[in-house]
Amino acid sequence: MEQVDLELRKEHQEKIKQVISEVGKVVVGQEYMVNRLLIGLFTQGHILLEGVPGLAKTLTVNTLSDVLKLDFKRIQFTPDLLPADLIGTMIYNQQKADFEVKKGPIFSNLILADEVNRAPAKVQSALLEAMQEKTVSIGETTFKLDRPFLVLATQNPVDQEGTYPLPEAQVDRFMLKVHVDYPSKEEELEVMRRMANMTFKSEVNTILSKEDIFSIREEINQVALSESLERYIIELVFATRNPKDYKLDQEAQYIQFGASPRASINLNLAAKAVAFFDERDYVLPEDIKAVADDVMNHRILLNYEAEADGVTTHEIIRQILNKVQITK
């Protein structure tokens, strides 16, 4: 394994702190969301943001793209959206008497799929190909998407009118599902002061280049994860599939399907990223626990009994973390 340049790694870790600081010039609070967005960026994992409107999801992603000097496109998903509106289409060029490709907004580095669950199945299918294969098919031609490529999708948990529930296969493609919460009183006070000031402008500096992002990915890849923690990840995921084997009898009655193997992969990657952000070259159990909810909450399918009893996947995961022990 290629050795990491320690000075370069230290420089990158400092730059990550600067990125968070620069975003904070525009966005008040939401450090947790920014942290999760960076985890996704540096581990090539798409992110689903769930929260009510007005919590600065779009502003955060837009500001982050400026700080990272990446191309950014916001796509508003609506029931009448067509696949061509997303990926592009073939148009006829009269001068050349031939068809040529007009690329859609998906050809960018950061894609904000706003209210992603409002688009019909064909659009979801086109987005799924881009997320999974990093390619787009227009006509008979397949195009590779520019790297890095990251889909940040949002959905409103309250308003379900005119929505299409995301297929389980697509939801599973998201590395993390992050619940964006309301700001604190002090944070909202600062938001009000900034946004009510019509002359407020805050310019951000570009901190990381594409080359920096690729280098950080390599450095995160070399963060050490012990065999005992690898097995701990597997035990956590298997506890969602066979809860009775882990003395989770009460939770077993609510789980219809457990987490897929992607949960194991993404727990590994996300935990390494958390360790790297904390300036460590090894993973601690706390790193795994810190990302367990975001990695698994959308991968556990509960039954109607859980809905009737008001049980959530967050409660299930909390009990799993309490019961599953690390074995040497």
Side-chain angles (χ1 to χ4, degrees), residues 273-293:
V274 171
F276 182 82
F277 292 175
D278 272 354
E279 301 183 16
R280 282 182 280 107
D281 59 359
Y282 56 90
V283 173
L284 295 173
E286 289 72 25
D287 300 330
I288 298 170
K289 293 175 181 178
V291 294
D293 189 277

Side-chain angles (χ1 to χ4, degrees), residues 81-197:
L81 195 72
L82 299 174
D85 298 326
L86 179 70
I87 64 173
T89 188
M90 305 286 290
I91 60 172
Y92 187 72
N93 188 322
Q94 290 184 331
Q95 293 180 336
K96 297 180 180 179
D98 197 6
F99 285 92
E100 60 184 29
V101 173
K102 182 183 179 184
K103 293 182 178 180
I106 198 72
F107 289 88
S108 195
N109 298 124
L110 285 182
I111 303 295
L112 179 64
D114 223 350
E115 296 188 281
V116 66
N117 54 334
R118 291 195 178 278
K122 286 186 177 180
V123 176
Q124 303 293 354
S125 178
L127 180 64
L128 188 62
E129 180 193 355
M131 289 170 62
Q132 184 64 21
E133 308 298 334
K134 306 292 194 300
T135 60
V136 166
S137 300
I138 303 175
E140 297 180 355
T141 309
T142 299
F143 299 89
K144 286 188 176 181
L145 293 168
D146 190 24
R147 296 172 59 234
F149 175 73
L150 190 66
V151 173
L152 308 169
T154 72
Q155 64 179 14
N156 181 351
V158 180
D159 183 11
Q160 297 301 320
E161 186 177 345
T163 63
Y164 301 80
L166 296 179
E168 294 301 324
Q170 184 171 357
V171 173
D172 196 40
R173 276 352 187 257
F174 288 100
M175 178 185 191
L176 308 173
K177 181 181 178 183
V178 181
H179 290 262
V180 184
D181 209 349
Y182 287 109
S184 67
K185 288 181 181 179
E186 291 303 316
E187 288 171 345
E188 188 151 348
L189 179 62
E190 180 60 26
V191 170
M192 181 182 69
R193 285 171 175 167
R194 286 190 189 184
M195 297 309 166
N197 180 1

Side-chain angles (χ1 to χ4, degrees), residues 32 34 36 38 49 51 62 84 99 104 142-143 152 167 211 227 238-239 242 245 249 265 280:
Y32 184 86
V34 175
R36 270 26 187 181
L38 291 175
L49 301 171
N62 198 351
F99 285 92
T142 299
F143 299 89
L152 308 169
E211 290 71 26
E227 186 177 346
F238 267 70
N242 308 297
D245 294 349
D249 295 338
I265 297 167
R280 282 182 280 107

